[in-house]
Amino acid sequence: MSSILFPLSEEHEMIRQTARDFAQEKIAPIAAEFDESGEFPHKTIQKMGEMGFMGIEVPEEFGGAGMDTLSYVLALEEICKVDAAHGVVMSVNNSLYAYGFLHFGTQEQKQKYLRPVASGQAIGAYSLTEPMSGSDAGTMRSRAVREGDFYILNGRKSWVTSGPVADYVVVFMMTEPEKKHKGISAFIVETKTVGFTVGKKEPKLGIRASATSEILFEDCRIPAANRLGQEGEGFKIAMTVLDAGRIGIAAQALGIAEAAHQASLSYAREREAFGQKIGEFQGISFKIADMKTRIEASRLLTYNAALAKERSKITGERFTQEAAMAKLFASETAMFVTHAAVQIHGGMGYSKELPVERYFRDAKITEIYEGTSEIQRLVISRMELGLR
Ligand code: CAA
């Protein structure tokens, strides 16, 4: 049971229960199979779209559910308790993709490119990273050159979540390299455009049912109307969107940690060794206490970041630090908890007969994508010290 102090509204309880039921009924039976095969679970992802999970905060006029950030976090947490791979597809659609349109998109762009993704009929992706540009996102090499009413895109992007299955990608490219990060612009690309191809699919440790790949642009010609925001505004868009994305990853980490904790509780209550339940040994019970405490702290930071994002809709204030703290703490908690969960389960924690080893593998990425833990510490400390 969560010991959260502020009460959830009826609407929050409802979306949480709906997501919980859906995850249990539809995702739980197939999660291990898709993790093993690495296949993309098209059917369940489509069903999640039909349920309204792909654009929870997007206004109804653009195909979304018109709910608040906490609703999104609660639903994502429930999905990730069962399978973090389904969760990351949901997270990218809701935040990395949709949030950019809500903030920087024109009415036409929202109707044409946000509506189908928010309503679950299409899949969106976000592409910032390159083989030689990761944490130092401002150093990208991909180029977009304006030619009349078009841009010609060239370059190679990597680690694109949903890259092989996306219908639309928001991609960041240099328009004026001499201006460094101020020379980056954002573009919306339909993946059926000539000159766009999907590159190498990444074989991954965890979240294996989600599809991650390189994407390649070779003289890919797109209308100038598909530029998102102003020329040179791309870095700011990328960072603004990542603030929203990081709350999603915090919720994902929280879900994974909760699942591992629940499994550990059941096992510690049932499994006997040396003539007693293993939960009666202090070596196990103290682990359970530390897991629970860190999970509750993660929950408070994550819900707080959700409330800060909600507040920003009225005040326009950034929620950068709240999002970074939530992601940092929740992802490190997910690693701590899943590591302890494997240990509590002993040999069974190492076996594919139980989902505990999957939770352990899935947790690791939350410390890496959408900004590593080191980048989160950089963001938090710079703001704390008044350096940014
Ligand atoms: N919101 C709005 N603007 C922001 C911002 C934010 N959160 N953060 C920075 N900016 C603005 C600054 O105000 C500054 O603007 P001006 O030039 O007008 O003053 C500009 O951006 C540059 O800021 P910095 O000087 O702080 O930039 P930096 O080069 O030092 O980089 C950084 C800062 C925090 C390291 C940043 O590069 C960063 O977050 N890196 C990590 C990138 C990342 O998370 N990558 C993951 C990619 S997505 C993914 O994982 C794949 C997937 O599909 C899930």
Side-chain angles (χ1 to χ4, degrees):
M1 253 328 263
S2 152
S3 55
I4 188 158
L5 289 175
F6 57 88
L8 296 178
S9 69
E10 236 175 75
E11 196 181 49
H12 290 138
E13 295 285 7
M14 200 181 73
I15 179 113
R16 181 159 74 169
Q17 195 58 47
T18 307
R20 186 175 291 170
D21 293 345
F22 177 85
Q24 281 303 334
E25 276 170 35
K26 307 288 184 205
I27 303 178
I30 58 143
E33 176 193 332
F34 279 82
D35 170 65
E36 185 69 23
S37 71
E39 294 288 309
F40 186 80
H42 286 281
K43 277 193 192 146
T44 33
I45 291 293
Q46 195 184 337
K47 280 192 197 125
M48 284 169 67
E50 288 161 13
M51 297 288 292
F53 293 158
M54 293 304 184
I56 292 180
E57 287 181 76
V58 174
E60 288 172 21
E61 61 172 315
F62 301 118
M67 299 175 92
D68 65 4
T69 310
L70 190 55
S71 303
Y72 162 56
V73 161
L74 292 166
L76 184 55
E77 188 185 328
E78 291 302 324
I79 299 293
C80 294
K81 263 191 211 170
V82 171
D83 185 37
H86 280 77
V88 73
V89 182
M90 177 173 163
S91 173
V92 168
N93 273 4
N94 274 278
S95 43
L96 289 191
Y97 187 83
Y99 193 62
F101 284 90
L102 290 177
H103 251 257
F104 301 96
T106 62
Q107 289 297 105
E108 294 72 32
Q109 288 172 340
K110 287 182 207 171
Q111 283 299 350
K112 190 165 178 193
Y113 295 115
L114 177 56
R115 172 176 277 282
V117 171
S119 60
Q121 284 145 26
I123 294 178
Y126 165 101
S127 177
L128 178 69
T129 303
E130 297 184 358
M132 293 306 291
S133 166
S135 294
D136 52 348
T139 62
M140 64 181 61
R141 293 172 187 183
S142 296
R143 290 292 314 270
V145 176
R146 177 107 189 210
E147 271 186 18
D149 287 340
F150 294 89
Y151 281 94
I152 313 298
L153 312 186
N154 277 289
R156 184 170 167 198
K157 293 282 184 181
S158 45
W159 293 106
V160 185
T161 300
S162 298
V165 292
D167 299 282
Y168 311 116
V169 183
V170 171
V171 66
F172 298 86
M173 293 206 172
M174 279 288 182
T175 36
E176 289 185 272
E178 61 287 357
K179 290 193 179 167
K180 307 219 164 111
H181 75 266
K182 284 187 189 293
I184 295 172
S185 305
F187 302 94
I188 310 150
V189 180
E190 299 186 20
T191 58
K192 60 178 188 321
T193 310
V194 175
F196 175 95
T197 48
V198 173
K200 179 173 71 95
K201 192 176 168 211
E202 300 295 345
K204 306 193 297 286
L205 172 73
I207 54 163
R208 287 174 40 76
S210 68
T212 312
S213 72
E214 289 195 329
I215 56 175
L216 312 172
F217 296 84
E218 210 174 327
D219 292 332
C220 181
R221 198 170 127 103
I222 61 159
N226 281 22
R227 191 188 65 225
L228 187 64
Q230 300 303 312
E231 257 203 22
E233 209 182 10
F235 193 76
K236 184 177 155 199
I237 296 175
M239 293 299 122
T240 304
V241 166
L242 276 169
D243 285 345
R246 287 167 184 167
I247 300 176
I249 303 308
Q252 181 187 44
L254 180 58
I256 298 169
E258 282 173 20
H261 182 60
Q262 282 305 323
S264 302
L265 280 182
S266 305
Y267 200 71
R269 286 187 188 119
E270 282 163 22
R271 171 77 182 186
E272 291 186 9
F274 301 100
Q276 61 181 34
K277 308 284 184 202
I278 61 168
E280 291 172 42
F281 290 105
Q282 210 172 58
I284 302 291
S285 65
F286 278 17
K287 277 193 173 62
I288 297 285
D290 289 342
M291 287 163 127
K292 174 70 178 170
T293 306
R294 292 191 198 196
I295 287 171
E296 282 305 297
S298 300
R299 183 193 309 287
L300 291 173
L301 282 170
T302 306
Y303 292 4
N304 184 59
L307 296 182
K309 178 162 177 275
E310 199 56 37
R311 188 185 56 203
S312 85
K313 291 174 189 169
I314 300 160
T315 63
E317 274 176 70
R318 274 168 53 176
F319 48 90
T320 304
Q321 201 183 32
E322 288 90 343
M325 290 192 296
K327 182 187 183 282
L328 172 65
F329 197 82
S331 59
E332 293 193 345
T333 293
M335 273 316 284
F336 173 83
V337 170
T338 56
H339 181 266
V342 171
Q343 196 65 17
I344 289 169
H345 283 78
M348 286 312 292
Y350 203 66
S351 163
K352 284 191 182 285
E353 278 180 36
L354 294 183
V356 180
E357 61 83 34
R358 172 162 58 88
Y359 303 149
F360 180 57
R361 287 185 287 106
D362 287 351
K364 184 61 204 170
I365 191 61
T366 66
E367 291 186 321
I368 299 172
Y369 60 14
E370 302 198 27
T372 60
S373 292
E374 291 75 11
I375 289 295
Q376 307 312 321
R377 287 189 166 89
L378 185 82
V379 168
I380 297 161
S381 61
R382 276 179 176 182
M383 295 189 79
E384 207 48 20
L385 292 162
L387 300 176
R388 283 293 185 280

